[in-house]
Amino acid sequence: MAKKIDLDAPGTSFLSFWRERHLCTLTTLRPDGTPHVVPVGVTYDAEERVARVITNKASRKIAHILAAPSASPARVAVCQVDGRRWSTLEGTATVRTDPALIADAERRYAERYTRAPRPNPDRVVIEIAVDRATGNGVHDA
């Protein structure tokens, strides 16, 4: 059963789970409201409450985020699963193009996934301002 995670005090099990090497999924919404789910690598900074995904600026996920009305920023979710353990982070997405932010996201990715991402001059960063987290098996006893 899914449990809500307290983002003010997420616990060591939750934080450890988001540092382990796991393939994740990113869910964005198409303009017609249907979900678009793709595999991605994700890093999570619990202090900032920001999840980051590096990707190509021409990807569909970027197009979906940019197509969101300015009055209501794009809502997205990232999820990872390891057997019965899983966790989802939800929030609003912003596309970042600043080279310093991209380099920081690449460093974070290399740290979590133990390898540097391949060079990509068209790389951007999706920053997710996390405002909700749920999970199963990632709670401290």
Side-chain angles (χ1 to χ4, degrees):
M1 171 180 268
K3 293 183 183 177
K4 187 173 180 181
I5 306 293
D6 180 354
L7 293 173
D8 290 325
T12 57
S13 294
F14 173 82
L15 296 175
S16 293
F17 188 55
W18 278 100
R19 284 190 294 270
E20 295 171 10
R21 189 181 195 282
H22 295 290
L23 184 62
C24 302
T25 60
L26 169 70
T27 302
T28 58
L29 297 177
R30 296 179 182 100
D32 68 2
T34 60
H36 177 252
V37 184
V38 294
V40 293
V42 176
T43 62
Y44 180 56
D45 182 329
E47 288 182 19
E48 292 183 31
R49 293 189 187 174
V50 173
R52 292 174 178 86
V53 175
I54 56 176
T55 190
N56 191 295
K57 67 182 177 185
S59 69
R60 294 303 316 151
K61 53 191 160 287
I62 295 298
H64 297 153
I65 292 167
L66 295 177
S70 59
S72 58
R75 295 281 307 169
V76 301
V78 289
C79 182
Q80 64 182 17
V81 178
D82 180 39
R84 295 179 62 87
R85 294 186 309 153
W86 63 269
S87 180
T88 299
L89 305 175
E90 300 175 36
T92 56
T94 304
V95 178
R96 305 288 187 197
T97 59
D98 180 279
L101 295 176
I102 294 169
D104 178 60
E106 290 171 333
R107 178 192 59 76
R108 292 170 188 269
Y109 178 97
E111 184 178 294
R112 181 174 189 199
Y113 291 97
T114 64
R115 67 175 182 82
R118 70 181 187 288
N120 179 354
D122 293 325
R123 179 167 286 134
V124 296
V125 179
I126 300 169
E127 284 189 353
I128 303 162
V130 176
D131 56 26
R132 179 182 169 98
T134 55
N136 185 58
V138 294
H139 300 81
D140 293 337

